């Protein structure tokens, strides 16, 4: 199944000030999430961001907040975003049937959100090079478990080029310098 811009939403989970420094490869995760946020804006894909217990874990890191421009940032307490009524309502109101997930921690909030979305009938894509956990073992276990459950494991460039769909368009020309 292709990831289509008109059918998907980008979900950026808990990329917060006190979480990011503890993650494996945080710079890669931030860089790729920024690229996805830029691509989402260029291709008209709505984005939602979450913050797990922001009073304790801080807010979304500035690099992501800036790239998200005017996207909604929702606080939450549940590990699965879909268990939080505010997020679930905001996501459903977008009217999209595909969810592209990035964020932290892969094996906790990303995994539980993806599983909840699959249970609710959505097509879910987890961006492996834009998610992170504190240990590589946790990341690998998350990817293996989600893949076995029918979640598509993708990369940043897979998402971007599927959203773009073809070369030669204005969106393609706008995105190309950011990818190189």
């Amino acid at each position: 199944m292709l990831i289509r811009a008109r059918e998907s939403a980008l979900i950026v989970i808990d990329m917060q000030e006190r979480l990011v420094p503890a993650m494996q490869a945080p710079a890669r995760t931030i860089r790729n999430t920024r690229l996805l946020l830029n691509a989402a804006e260029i291709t008209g894909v709505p984005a939602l961001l979450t913050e797990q217990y922001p009073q304790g874990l801080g807010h979304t890191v500035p690099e992501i907040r800036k790239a998200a421009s005017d996207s909604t940032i929702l606080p939450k307490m549940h590990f699965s975003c879909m268990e939080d009524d505010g997020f679930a309502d905001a996501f459903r109101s977008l009217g999209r049937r595909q969810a592209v997930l990035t964020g932290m921690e892969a094996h906790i909030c990303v995994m539980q959100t993806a599983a909840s979305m699959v249970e609710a009938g959505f097509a879910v894509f987890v961006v492996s090079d834009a998610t992170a956990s504190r240990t590589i073992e946790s990341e690998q276990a998350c990817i293996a478990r989600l893949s076995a459950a029918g979640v598509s494991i993708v990369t940043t460039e897979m998402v971007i080029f599927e959203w773009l769909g073809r070369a030669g368009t204005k969106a393609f020309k706008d995105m190309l310098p950011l990818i190189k």
Side-chain angles (χ1 to χ4, degrees):
M1 166 187 318
L2 287 175
I3 308 166
R4 302 203 183 269
R6 68 183 177 273
E7 297 175 15
S8 63
L10 176 63
I11 311 302
V12 178
I13 300 171
D14 305 347
M15 295 191 67
Q16 294 165 254
E17 297 158 332
R18 292 192 191 99
L19 279 178
V20 169
M23 297 299 116
Q24 292 286 317
R28 176 205 72 188
T29 304
I30 289 171
R31 180 185 68 247
N32 289 334
T33 299
R34 286 178 56 209
L35 274 173
L36 288 163
L37 284 162
N38 291 330
E41 185 172 348
I42 288 169
T43 59
V45 172
L48 293 174
L49 288 75
T50 66
E51 293 178 343
Q52 177 74 28
Y53 182 58
Q55 303 90 323
L57 296 175
H59 293 285
T60 302
V61 294
E63 304 96 318
I64 298 301
R65 200 170 45 246
K66 183 179 177 187
S69 59
D70 60 356
S71 297
T72 301
I73 301 176
L74 299 162
K76 66 181 183 66
M77 290 296 289
H78 291 90
F79 298 125
S80 168
C81 295
M82 292 300 284
E83 299 297 320
D84 183 274
D85 291 338
F87 176 88
D89 291 344
F91 177 71
R92 286 192 174 98
S93 75
L94 298 174
R96 304 296 175 113
R97 63 181 201 90
Q98 296 180 339
V100 176
L101 275 56
T102 73
M104 300 172 178
E105 283 197 64
H107 67 292
I108 302 170
C109 295
V110 174
M111 198 287 304
Q112 289 186 38
T113 300
S116 293
M117 288 179 154
V118 168
E119 287 176 351
F122 296 100
V124 181
F125 303 84
V126 170
V127 188
S128 62
D129 60 354
T131 60
S133 290
R134 285 167 284 144
T135 68
I136 194 70
E137 294 83 8
S138 290
E139 284 182 40
Q140 291 170 343
C142 167
I143 297 302
R145 183 173 174 192
L146 289 176
S147 182
V151 171
S152 296
I153 307 303
V154 297
T155 65
T156 298
E157 286 199 5
M158 291 168 76
V159 174
I160 291 170
F161 283 94
E162 287 176 46
W163 279 347
L164 291 170
R166 59 178 282 198
T169 64
K170 180 180 179 342
F172 177 81
K173 291 174 185 171
D174 289 347
M175 196 66 216
L176 198 55
L178 301 174
I179 297 168
K180 287 187 173 184

